[in-house]
Amino acid sequence: MTGLEKYRWDLVNCERCSMCKWVHPWKTQSHRFAKVCPSVSKYLFDAYSAQGRFDVIRGLLEGEIEVTDKVLEVIYACTLCGGCDVTCKFSRDMEPLEILHQIRIELVKSGKGPLPGHKAALDSIKNYDNPWMQPRTRRSNWARKLKAKDLTKEKAKILYYAGCTYSYNPDLQIVAQNTLSLLLKSGLDIGVLGNKEICCASPVLKVGEEDLYHDFAKKNIQTFNELGVDMVITSCSGCFGIFTNHYPEIGKMNFEVVQGVQLLEKLINEGKINFRKKVPMTVTWHDPCHMGRGGEPQNIWNGTRTKWGLSDPPRKRNFGANGVYDAPRNILNAIPGIKLAEMERIREYSWCCGAGGGVKSAFPEFANWSARERIEEAKSTGAEALVTACPWCELNLGEGVKADGDKIKMLSLINIVTEALGE
Amino acid sequence: MSLPKGAYQVLEDVLGPENISDDPAITTAYSYMWLLYITHAQSGKYRPAAVVLPSSTEEVQAIIRIANRYGFNYIPVGSNLLPPTIPVRPDTIIIDPKRMNRILEIDEKNMYAVVEPYVSYAQLQAETHKIGLTITTPEAGSQVSVVANNMFQGMGGMAHKFGYNRGILGVDWILPNGDLLKIGSRGVPNGGWFWGDCAGLNLKGLVRADTGHCGGLGMVTTMAVKLFPYPGPRIFPCEGANPNFVAKFPEDRFKIFLIDFPTKRKVCDAMYDIGHCEIGAAVHAEGANWMLASDCASVEEFWERWPDFQKKWKNILAVTIAGFSSPRQVEYEEKVLMEIIKEHGGKLVDEELYKVGYNAMGEAFRTGLSNRLYRPAGDFFVMGGFGFDSLDHTLKSSEIFWPIIEDAYKRGLFVEDTTKSDWINSYQMGHFSEVEPIVYFEHDLKAGEAFLLGYIKTITDALAKKMHPSWPLGAMNYITGPAMCNYHELVLGLKKLLDPRMTSNPGYPLPETNPFAPPPEQEK
Ligand SMILES: Cc1cc2nc3c(=O)[nH]c(=O)nc-3n(C[C@@H](O)[C@@H](O)[C@H](O)COP(=O)(O)OP(=O)(O)OC[C@H]3O[C@@H](n4cnc5c(N)ncnc54)[C@H](O)[C@@H]3O)c2cc1C
Ligand code: SF4
Ligand code: SF4
């Protein structure tokens, strides 16, 4: 557990304030939607909060307890959504999310993690470069009808990185298709990697398989650098979060990483996209964790805590407020007919869809529960549709919507944009 | 660390298997406490034997009866912030109320709310603000439990105006023997929740007395709390993003004044006059270290600003004025306040300091910054304090506390503080007050020892001067009791009467034997 030693200060100084369980009190708008941590909200025992996990990890470090199946459950039944990280850091100089990642890495190193439920996706990534057990040869099928450059053969300024889920999932491929098609029509010099695109390895890191993650991350950074592109665009928030928030410590990246919605907003502002059709609908926006608080640029720090807990060298921390929050809202507000009704837990206080951190595969019931919570919140706004820009959120919330009797629609932002373009 | 044979099964039968656990992966999360670690170095020594999640008064009653039958201990908790929620004896279970999280009623007309123990202040306020009512919240933060806080100190930022812990109305309380006792109007058939006192014997004082029994006398399962008028916006007016928030209230109804006085004496004189004139919603002298911490987004930022800030922030009184009845109330109170400031030689702070202290107004209405108290060094606490008495007494107490604190910081154990950062509170229009000298220290045993011994010295020094001592927790009642009509014997008598098997958080409100007593003489 040596990788956790550098967090000892955090672990012993947690004061049990419980801020990590709730939306910040000043941002709390109701009794019903006051909580931020899906895990402790579902499982109730404190062990399932950042505070409780700190105690469990401290207990492991100090030899008070051992790794058991229950310890594994406690550690992995967490979506790594980062809600706790935002709320803890408001008042404490601690890194809950880093610690929650690191304990998984340590569990894997000691041969205890990950969970059996994670195995299929991991094997698939190892064998096929994607978590969906799909052959590499079919990866580029989604883009067949689009005339994008093949960057394995020619040069372009921008790489469109579709990610595994948008590439393979037949229900979601339309997101990548609509995005790329729109970007091409806007005259951007853009291309794809075709079957040579490989997984970003976010699901690998999330369950603690650090070595495998490093292999993929290094390969991706090398490929992107060698392409000589200025920009990598992705529509997948999972890929976006891992590129911006985790890759920088792996190696130098000679390109900018952009979420598709950021570029769309820019094109709207530049007048390159004009909406011709009204879309009369009230919608609400779900901030995906990895595009929001988890999409902030990484602040790399290697140092120690000195007297009074000061960090040496001084540490710049991520507070979650600099994620991609305005772009999707500005896009929705620019579409004629669309009325945006906000939920209570938004931006850095967004409630997780429930799919992240390997929860969808290992704890499907929890993933579903978390989604249902979000859907309740979405419905409470009076919206007809819940809109987002992340395949994991869309799949998991979509399942929740179905289980709830389709009382609200689940939509991808790009698909509304495409409709408003009237094409 | 395990329950008597058969007890787990009986509890499981009552609660269902998913609502009880004795797995160390679960119980460890209830075994560690920052302050216990430094003061007693015993954290982790006793994991709870189990944690239970009841969903109703009946289930709590069943748990407590089972504890009596099988002879194990239990601790009722709220959000678990305080040291007495951590077991320091074997065979102790934690009663975690997370499934008891409902606001059962908000009575707008009669201005009260009925809540279960896992309702937080932020949750309750969020609902009451929608109908123009509010409740005062503690510096512990608005994420703590309304019930637990009222069971403990229940002193909020608005206690100057709304009163000090006067909010408890009807209560449903499971006594340590498992009986359900209904207090206040709840005790009268169809009496409802609206009244805290009742005809005949008034038992409200027994629910929490001075500063609560720390779970040592059973568990309150439902509580009605008083609400007060609130002229603010429906949604708490917080602007900005993490970690930079500003609470901006409508200026015609809310104003904060930060006033620099030449001495602490002058601060208290002004506080007296503010009370006499019955103005002000929240009135606090704000300590420099806490004010700066509340404005800093990191420990590094605090330490960068602290040397200079110490020179600027001294003897500063924060007065929040609210127009409960109308904007004219604000105008009137402001005029009166200006006269008081003039009379006592105060002056309004400059813009730089005003910006730092501005959020004290938001904090008065809904605490949200207070966990930043820990920012400057990791650990903090109040070194002596809570000696509830007059404002004059507050001043005298401060004189007792600071030499003890200075001694520790000269030894490098606490953060040096030349401003003598006292947090002085006016309660009930200045009729009484208390002071909390805020000290910072690192999470280590030497500092913890200095804190604990120093705290005890604040008590003994105050008693030597025949003053109301710092608030005694648990065993410390054996130090204060003999100097104060042996009240501790009465408290212990009540504990034995109500909890004859000593299963309800044993050690609280005070342990059965005096740990400070000299050991019995050995026979030669
Ligand atoms: C930084 C800080 C600032 C503070 N400032 C203030 C302040 O300004 N005003 C103030 O009033 N307090 C203050 N406190 C004290 C304080 O922590 C509490 O009053 C607080 O509300 C605890 O809430 P909790 O939900 O965490 O309770 P817990 O810590 O869980 O419980 C508090 C005590 O009450 C007992 N208890 C809990 N629930 C019940 C129940 N249902 N029935 C019977 N007993 C029960 C517990 O056993 C425990 O002993 C402060 C504490 C800290 C650490
Ligand atoms: S918010 Fe941070 S310090 Fe507070 S309980 Fe959670 S992890 Fe601990
Ligand atoms: S990452 Fe999310 S689910 Fe995990 S402890 Fe933090 S808030 Fe809870």
Side-chain angles (χ1 to χ4, degrees), chain A residues 15-27:
Chain A
E15 98 243 20
R16 305 183 68 94
C17 65
S18 281
M19 291 287 271
C20 49
K21 295 167 186 149
W22 305 90
V23 170
H24 188 278
W26 282 14
K27 296 279 186 184

Side-chain angles (χ1 to χ4, degrees), chain A residues 350-420:
Chain A
S350 179
W351 176 266
C352 174
C353 76
V359 162
K360 183 83 185 148
S361 45
F363 305 95
E365 196 228 335
F366 168 31
N368 190 263
W369 177 89
S370 190
R372 295 289 290 269
E373 279 292 297
R374 192 55 161 170
I375 290 157
E376 284 308 310
E377 190 175 355
K379 286 194 303 189
S380 76
T381 65
E384 297 149 70
L386 173 56
V387 187
T388 195
C390 168
W392 294 90
C393 299
E394 204 174 328
L395 282 174
N396 199 45
L397 291 170
E399 277 176 29
V401 164
K402 223 177 256 162
D404 190 47
D406 288 312
K407 296 192 187 92
I408 193 167
K409 281 184 228 155
M410 182 70 233
L411 297 177
S412 257
L413 177 59
I414 186 66
N415 296 346
I416 303 183
V417 168
T418 309
E419 190 185 337

Side-chain angles (χ1 to χ4, degrees), chain A residues 63-329:
Chain A
E64 287 169 18
I65 54 171
E66 289 168 5
V67 179
T68 58
D69 284 353
K70 195 71 179 172
V71 166
L72 290 172
E73 185 206 293
V74 160
I75 298 299
Y76 280 103
C78 153
T79 59
L80 295 180
C81 69
C84 53
D85 201 63
V86 167
T87 46
C88 176
K89 275 190 195 143
F90 179 81
S91 33
R92 304 307 310 272
D93 299 272
M94 296 180 175
E95 294 292 338
L97 191 56
E98 272 188 26
I99 294 172
L100 296 176
H101 273 100
Q102 192 61 39
I103 179 66
R104 294 181 181 204
I105 291 170
E106 300 299 324
L107 289 172
V108 170
K109 273 189 195 154
S110 63
K112 306 274 170 45
L115 300 180
H118 299 133
K119 197 172 174 314
L122 282 173
D123 286 348
S124 173
I125 291 172
K126 270 185 227 161
N127 296 329
Y128 312 116
D129 295 332
N130 71 77
W132 302 116
M133 285 171 268
Q134 296 291 320
R136 288 187 189 88
T137 47
R138 288 212 205 122
R139 187 163 188 119
S140 62
N141 284 5
W142 67 272
R144 234 187 285 163
K145 290 190 189 141
L146 296 165
K147 294 209 172 72
K149 284 184 181 171
D150 177 353
L151 296 193
T152 58
K153 296 187 184 126
E154 51 190 322
K155 292 260 173 218
K157 284 199 172 134
I158 304 173
L159 164 69
Y160 181 74
Y161 179 91
C164 303
T165 313
Y166 284 141
S167 294
Y168 289 110
N169 187 303
D171 295 330
L172 294 179
Q173 283 171 338
I174 185 80
V175 170
Q177 287 158 348
N178 280 342
T179 309
L180 185 58
S181 145
L182 205 153
L183 298 179
L184 285 168
K185 276 184 204 147
S186 309
L188 296 174
D189 182 17
I190 191 164
V192 291
L193 272 172
N195 292 335
K196 292 280 183 279
E197 184 182 290
I198 59 167
C199 182
C200 70
S202 168
V204 181
L205 178 65
K206 301 291 166 182
V207 300
E209 291 276 5
E210 193 182 38
D211 290 345
L212 184 61
Y213 160 71
H214 278 175
D215 290 348
F216 274 78
K218 276 183 200 151
K219 243 191 248 171
N220 271 325
I221 293 173
Q222 193 186 351
T223 308
F224 300 166
N225 280 341
E226 282 170 7
L227 291 177
V229 291
D230 300 336
M231 193 187 277
V232 173
I233 299 178
T234 179
S235 304
C236 171
S237 293
C239 304
F240 176 73
I242 206 86
F243 290 162
T244 55
N245 202 262
H246 294 274
Y247 272 24
E249 69 185 349
I250 302 290
K252 186 155 169 25
M253 295 155 71
N254 301 326
F255 48 89
E256 188 190 354
V257 176
V258 171
Q259 220 293 354
V261 297
Q262 291 175 295
L263 194 58
L264 281 184
E265 186 202 23
K266 190 164 171 270
L267 295 173
I268 293 170
N269 289 343
E270 290 170 353
K272 292 187 180 150
I273 293 181
N274 290 310
F275 297 116
R276 285 188 222 111
K277 199 178 143 204
K278 239 179 156 184
V279 186
M281 184 163 46
T282 304
V283 302
T284 191
W285 171 255
H286 167 74
D287 289 296
C289 303
H290 301 297
M291 177 170 148
R293 53 193 173 223
E296 285 192 351
Q298 186 178 32
N299 286 309
I300 302 165
W301 180 78
N302 279 312
T304 48
R305 302 301 283 260
T306 60
K307 186 124 178 107
W308 311 129
L310 285 157
S311 47
D312 180 26
R315 178 164 195 171
K316 209 168 165 263
R317 291 177 194 274
N318 282 348
F319 289 97
N322 291 323
V324 181
Y325 298 118
D326 292 328
R329 290 176 168 81

Side-chain angles (χ1 to χ4, degrees), chain B residues 175-222:
Chain B
L175 294 173
N177 68 357
D179 286 351
L180 169 62
L181 182 64
K182 297 184 178 196
I183 300 285
S185 48
R186 279 292 282 167
V188 180
N190 303 318
W193 294 96
F194 75 103
W195 197 19
D197 309 296
C198 61
L201 194 60
N202 182 346
L203 293 175
K204 199 166 86 174
L206 204 53
V207 181
R208 65 175 300 282
D210 178 15
T211 34
H213 55 69
C214 297
L217 294 177
M219 175 162 175
V220 165
T221 56
T222 320

Side-chain angles (χ1 to χ4, degrees), chain B residues 88-198:
Chain B
V88 289
R89 282 154 213 248
D91 307 334
T92 304
I93 67 162
I94 299 289
I95 308 180
D96 183 336
K98 287 211 191 62
R99 291 168 76 216
M100 300 179 74
N101 60 358
R102 292 172 302 166
I103 299 176
L104 296 173
E105 185 187 347
I106 296 180
D107 186 325
E108 186 176 351
K109 191 162 149 244
N110 294 302
M111 294 167 61
Y112 68 80
V114 184
V115 293
E116 293 186 327
Y118 202 67
V119 173
S120 77
Y121 275 106
Q123 283 182 302
L124 179 58
Q125 253 203 8
E127 297 303 330
T128 64
H129 281 188
K130 291 173 188 164
I131 51 168
L133 294 173
T134 195
I135 183 165
T136 184
T137 62
E139 281 304 308
S142 302
Q143 77 287 1
V144 304
S145 145
V146 175
V147 170
N149 175 249
N150 275 286
M151 293 300 298
F152 187 65
Q153 284 179 300
M155 55 193 213
M158 302 284 293
H160 170 77
K161 177 89 179 169
F162 295 161
Y164 171 80
N165 204 304
R166 290 181 170 242
I168 300 178
L169 304 175
V171 170
D172 281 4
W173 173 18
I174 303 295
L175 294 173
N177 68 357
D179 286 351
L180 169 62
L181 182 64
K182 297 184 178 196
I183 300 285
S185 48
R186 279 292 282 167
V188 180
N190 303 318
W193 294 96
F194 75 103
W195 197 19
D197 309 296
C198 61

